[in-house]
Amino acid sequence: MHGGSSLSQQLAKLIYTGDGRDHGRKLRELLYAVELDRTLGKARVLNLYLALAPWGNGVCGATPRRSASCTRRPPN
């Protein structure tokens, strides 16, 4: 994900519109983003984005990313 899209627009892209390059995608993304903000609020949008966003190396979401980057296990 690149560019100047808001976090809500990026979440809408992850959930609804994908990476398509058609002319209406950005408009649909914007409309979905407005609805996400209205119904969920900024905090929930952030939580969902962090849970779904690609972090590289096939890892999606903040918790799996943390696990993938940690080599030591916590003591029992």
Side-chain angles (χ1 to χ4, degrees):
M1 284 180 259
H2 300 75
S5 297
S6 71
L7 197 59
S8 300
Q9 283 177 288
Q10 292 180 37
L11 180 61
K13 181 177 180 180
L14 282 171
I15 296 173
Y16 300 114
T17 64
D19 289 328
R21 297 266 178 194
D22 62 286
H23 295 292
R25 182 187 59 85
K26 272 298 212 194
L27 177 59
R28 287 190 311 274
E29 204 174 274
L30 177 64
L31 296 173
Y32 281 126
V34 168
E35 189 64 16
L36 286 169
D37 282 343
R38 189 183 71 74
T39 58
L40 301 178
K42 292 289 186 184
R44 183 72 176 132
V45 167
L46 175 60
N47 286 335
L48 284 171
Y49 178 78
L50 290 175
L52 298 173
W55 292 72
N57 295 329
V59 176
C60 290
T63 301
R65 174 66 187 136
R66 186 185 68 220
S67 299
S69 63
C70 294
T71 57
R72 293 180 58 190
R73 298 272 182 218
N76 289 335

